[in-house]
Amino acid sequence: MCNNAQMENWDDLKYALAIYRHGTLSGAARTLGVNHATVSRRLSTLETQMGARLFDRMSDGLHPTEHGEKAIESAIEIERHILSLEVSIAAKDTVLAGPLKISAPQLIVQLKFADILAEFKALYPQIDLQIIATLDAVNLHRREADVSIRVVNEPENTLWGQRVLQQNCMYYASRSYLEQRQEQDPLNCLNFMWRGDQPAPEVLKAYPNARVIARFDDMVAVYGAVNAGMGIARMPCFIGDSNPTFQRVPHIDSAPYHDLWILTHPDLRKVPRIQTFIRFAATRLRKLQPFFLGELST
């Protein structure tokens, strides 16, 4: 059990815990919803109160000292008790009102999900929607979100949810890029970091002169680069087909992409506002299945 002194220090310790998990002040700031200066100030305050340095500043980030490790142990214990209490209380909530924190990838929110959120809010005005637009898998066990829309084939088995729909992907380019490119010109490819520095086999089969000219770590950045006419890139059909200036690259077939799931903490699945939102969002998203398969364009 955590003692009263530890509980009183939780407001400061949670900053140390966020720094430990992310390794940087900026990463902790994003998670906590504050700025870099606030995290730095709270860490300094905590170190002054404890009379010890909690983190060593290294070239690759912040690493806990021996004192820092002990502080982190206390923070994790306190967090576990607080989260257990929060989940227990939230599970008894019986009203369609209050906060509802939802995470979803940025482009899904922008291109498809925002309309669903607007409709839900109009139907349930007493529910306070908080949207985290990110591709990162937020931790539902730490209550970083109540509901998460995720692009994944096999979600964590400790979560509760349902597969909402399947997706296909294709290669897209701006119409201007394809129109200006001559047949003898190399086909410029935009890869994701994890796909390496060579064009995919299906691209080389159709275009032997293809070459990778840039690599990206984010779909939003790839979307912008394709829009700027840099070259071709693979993306989910609902993204590529949503832009009227994009064109599917000829001679390359569509392929399966990751599924779309809607997930929550298993102990919260019967909370009315969470249960209602999951049912509502899943129903609306399933109606969009043809767009996500690339069978219809927007």
Side-chain angles (χ1 to χ4, degrees):
M1 283 293 289
C2 53
N3 57 45
N4 290 336
Q6 288 175 319
M7 290 296 291
E8 290 174 1
N9 287 334
W10 168 242
D11 196 46
D12 293 319
L13 283 171
K14 69 181 180 183
Y15 284 84
L17 185 55
I19 294 169
Y20 168 74
R21 284 174 172 155
H22 295 276
T24 64
L25 297 178
S26 57
R30 284 193 298 271
T31 297
L32 296 170
V34 298
N35 58 42
H36 179 284
T38 298
V39 177
S40 179
R41 185 177 68 253
R42 294 300 289 268
L43 175 59
S44 295
T45 300
L46 183 59
E47 289 179 326
T48 298
Q49 290 173 347
M50 292 191 167
R53 189 176 71 256
L54 301 182
F55 291 90
D56 287 324
R57 280 68 171 174
M58 310 292 283
S59 60
D60 61 342
L62 279 72
H63 296 266
T65 63
E66 182 179 351
H67 295 292
E69 292 283 2
K70 293 179 180 178
I72 296 304
E73 288 178 9
S74 293
I76 290 174
E77 180 185 0
I78 295 169
E79 182 189 54
R80 182 169 61 251
H81 286 281
I82 290 175
L83 291 176
S84 176
L85 178 62
E86 288 180 351
V87 169
S88 176
I89 293 172
K92 295 178 173 63
D93 198 335
T94 60
V95 297
L96 281 171
L100 180 61
K101 189 181 295 185
I102 303 157
S103 76
Q106 298 97 317
L107 286 170
I108 288 181
V109 175
Q110 177 184 340
L111 300 175
K112 295 296 180 187
F113 201 50
D115 289 340
I116 294 172
L117 292 171
E119 185 181 358
F120 181 82
K121 181 64 179 179
L123 289 171
Y124 303 98
Q126 298 305 312
I127 295 180
D128 176 22
L129 294 180
Q130 302 171 39
I131 314 303
I132 304 170
T134 180
L135 271 173
D136 296 337
V138 300
N139 194 313
L140 296 174
H141 292 287
R142 292 205 299 261
R143 300 299 307 279
E144 293 176 359
D146 300 309
V147 177
S148 184
I149 307 295
R150 293 191 189 170
V151 179
V152 61
N153 286 335
E154 295 184 9
E156 304 162 47
N157 58 15
T158 58
L159 299 176
W160 182 90
Q162 54 184 289
R163 185 176 71 175
V164 178
L165 49 78
Q166 296 173 293
Q167 297 191 81
N168 283 335
C169 63
M170 297 192 73
Y171 283 86
Y172 292 86
S174 68
R175 293 183 186 278
S176 60
Y177 171 76
L178 293 178
E179 290 171 356
Q180 293 171 14
R181 174 182 173 269
Q182 300 298 312
E183 187 174 351
Q184 67 274 13
D185 294 340
L187 183 71
N188 293 335
C189 299
L190 311 175
N191 263 15
F192 288 98
M193 297 288 191
W194 53 90
R195 293 180 68 89
D197 56 6
Q198 294 297 319
E202 63 269 23
V203 175
L204 286 172
K205 181 179 179 180
Y207 300 91
N209 64 350
R211 62 181 181 180
V212 173
I213 66 162
R215 292 184 293 161
F216 297 81
D217 69 343
D218 178 77
M219 183 64 75
V220 175
V222 168
Y223 181 90
V226 171
N227 197 49
M230 283 185 67
I232 76 165
R234 193 185 80 149
M235 61 183 68
C237 292
F238 87 90
I239 296 176
D241 290 338
S242 70
N243 190 324
T245 70
F246 284 8
Q247 181 177 319
R248 296 178 179 183
V249 178
H251 313 304
I252 306 179
D253 294 332
S254 65
Y257 197 66
H258 301 302
D259 298 332
L260 200 69
W261 285 73
I262 185 165
L263 302 163
T264 189
H265 190 293
D267 293 345
L268 301 180
R269 68 186 189 275
K270 294 184 179 180
V271 173
R273 63 179 177 276
I274 292 176
Q275 185 180 54
T276 300
F277 177 80
I278 289 176
R279 186 184 302 117
F280 180 89
T283 300
R284 294 300 188 274
L285 283 168
R286 287 193 175 106
K287 291 181 180 179
L288 300 174
Q289 176 73 92
F291 294 104
F292 283 83
L293 289 176
E295 297 172 353
L296 293 173
S297 63
T298 52

